[in-house]
Amino acid sequence: MQNYIGNHKECHLNSHCKKFEICPMILIQDMISGKWKILILWYLSYHTLRFSDLQKRLPNVSQKVLSRQLKSLEEDHLIAKKIYPVVPPKVEYSLTPLGQKVIPILEAMHKFGSDYLEDNHH
C-alpha cells in the first residue's frame, strides 16, 4: 500500500475521518485498485482457489501481473496464501477475515452493474 496522506479537505466526509492520517476512500482505492484485484476478491469470495484456478477465471492476465496483484492483496491482509508441502507445490488463496468484510462492497458493485445493464438494456 502506498504511504501518502489523503487530502481530507476534499472529502465531503472529512469531519468523520480527520483523525486518520489517510482518507479512508483513498485507502480503499489503493487497496482494491488494479485491473484484476476486484475480480480476484470476487472469485475468492465464494471459493478458496489455486493460482491456476484464478488464471482460468482471468484468461487475459499474465502470470506476472496476477502474482503481483495477489502479493499486494496479501500484503494488505485481504487474502491469505497457504502453501502445502507437496511436490509439485500446491498453493491456495482465500479471503482473510478482513477480506471477507469486502464482500458486501463487491455485492453492492455487482448489483449496481446488474441494475445498470437492466436499465440500459445491454
Side-chain angles (χ1 to χ4, degrees), residues 39-49 57 95 103 106:
L39 289 175
I40 291 167
L41 291 167
W42 182 245
Y43 293 136
L44 291 177
S45 71
Y46 57 94
H47 288 298
T48 293
L49 296 171
R57 286 168 171 77
L95 293 182
I103 294 173
L106 300 174

Side-chain angles (χ1 to χ4, degrees), residues 1 28 33 36 42 71 95 103 106 120:
M1 186 172 352
I28 191 65
S33 67
W36 306 102
W42 182 245
K71 183 174 171 40
L95 293 182
I103 294 173
L106 300 174
N120 292 288

Side-chain angles (χ1 to χ4, degrees), residues 15 25 45 56 64 75 119-120:
S15 62
M25 284 303 290
S45 71
K56 287 176 194 164
K64 180 181 176 181
E75 287 171 355
D119 293 346
N120 292 288

Side-chain angles (χ1 to χ4, degrees), residues 64-114:
K64 180 181 176 181
V65 170
L66 181 56
S67 294
R68 199 174 329 135
Q69 300 260 294
L70 288 166
K71 183 174 171 40
S72 177
L73 289 166
E74 188 179 4
E75 287 171 355
D76 286 338
H77 310 289
L78 295 176
I79 67 169
K81 176 179 172 179
K82 184 173 182 179
I83 303 170
Y84 294 89
V86 295
V87 178
K90 178 181 173 184
V91 179
E92 289 183 341
Y93 296 91
S94 60
L95 293 182
T96 63
L98 179 64
Q100 290 172 356
K101 291 181 178 183
V102 175
I103 294 173
I105 297 167
L106 300 174
E107 289 172 341
M109 292 170 72
H110 185 276
K111 180 171 180 356
F112 176 86
S114 296

